[in-house]
Amino acid sequence: MSTPTDSEVKLISDEPQISDELIIKQQQCIDNEISQNIPLVGKKLYVTEALLSEYSQDEVYQKKVIQLSESYSHLRRMRPDGNCFFRALSYSTLEQLIGKPEEAKTFRSKVENSKEKLTQAGFTQFTIDDFYDQLIEMVDKVIGGLDAEGLEQEFEISQLAEYLVVYLRILTSAELKNSAEFYQNFVDGITLEEFCQLEVEPMYKESDHVQIVAITAALDLTVRIVYMDRGLGANHDFPDVEGQTPSIHMLYRPGHYDILYPKQRTKSDN
């Protein structure tokens, strides 16, 4: 067996690096395509219109879409970039306050109070002010009469939408840190501080159970997640309080969240 030449040895040693570079470039291409072709927040579509064509070759999911459409009339897609949960939460919260100035003022007070949670957790004013101010400004626009079309247009502005996501992420982190004794029980293998640094604060990181528990507690929100996968599926309410009807509904498919709109009940439904 011949001995490899120096150049052959170099090629072999470089293979993992070349492979990593290719993977990074491929991911960047995918991310660029997503950002160019998929809006941050999509239009409101009928559930069947939005999902049946997506699963045209999958009978299992087609049945699940039909079942979903029995409880929910519409769906609004979020860009699948890892920020979808927080973007859906910010959009749905503001959307539900449209035409309800008193409720919007109450929510504004919750946002104002949330700033103290951030300073308590060690975030500096310099770090949080721009993101906090952007959320307050959006709530004030709703109080001032912003309509549904106007909200859609606001979320077409990338910087605005992303600032809201950043604020919700750091507020989630603050909630976790301020109640570390409780939340550490949900985190395995790393400290809560590490979890916040690795999984909560960075943009484009997917959100899971712990993040949802924390942000709903921080802003006193009620969220129902409807899980749709090849299993039995389920609904999970945050917080899970008997007799409480969540105000925000989301569809979760592995790795992604979209906004759901419950069907309006009529007298004949009762």
Side-chain angles (χ1 to χ4, degrees), residues 20 89 110 120 142 147 187 206 214 223 235 252 267 269:
D20 289 345
L89 187 69
K110 293 177 183 179
Q120 182 183 344
V142 172
D147 61 12
V187 178
E206 295 178 5
V223 176
N235 297 343
Y252 176 80
K267 291 181 178 180
D269 295 326

Side-chain angles (χ1 to χ4, degrees), residues 176-191:
L176 292 168
K177 292 174 183 177
N178 291 339
S179 302
E181 185 176 349
F182 171 73
Y183 286 110
Q184 183 64 59
N185 298 321
F186 295 89
V187 178
D188 293 324
I190 57 176
T191 66

Side-chain angles (χ1 to χ4, degrees), residues 125-227:
Q125 291 287 116
F126 177 77
T127 303
I128 64 180
D129 273 350
D130 285 348
F131 310 114
Y132 167 83
D133 290 344
Q134 191 67 74
L135 180 52
I136 287 291
E137 181 180 332
M138 278 305 306
V139 177
D140 285 343
K141 286 183 179 181
V142 172
I143 294 172
L146 184 73
D147 61 12
E149 183 179 355
L151 184 64
E152 285 188 1
Q153 291 172 353
E154 291 284 351
F155 271 76
E156 291 173 0
I157 304 170
S158 178
Q159 181 174 329
L160 161 69
E162 302 306 61
Y163 269 36
L164 299 186
V165 169
V166 171
Y167 189 76
L168 294 181
R169 282 187 176 279
I170 59 176
L171 180 56
T172 302
S173 179
E175 176 68 22
L176 292 168
K177 292 174 183 177
N178 291 339
S179 302
E181 185 176 349
F182 171 73
Y183 286 110
Q184 183 64 59
N185 298 321
F186 295 89
V187 178
D188 293 324
I190 57 176
T191 66
L192 194 66
E193 182 74 29
E194 291 170 330
F195 179 76
C196 289
Q197 291 176 354
L198 295 172
E199 302 295 336
V200 181
E201 295 168 17
M203 293 288 275
Y204 313 114
K205 282 288 187 176
E206 295 178 5
S207 300
D208 209 336
H209 186 96
V210 182
Q211 289 93 323
I212 302 174
V213 171
I215 191 60
T216 51
L219 286 174
D220 189 26
L221 298 172
T222 56
V223 176
R224 172 167 293 170
I225 305 295
V226 180
Y227 294 89

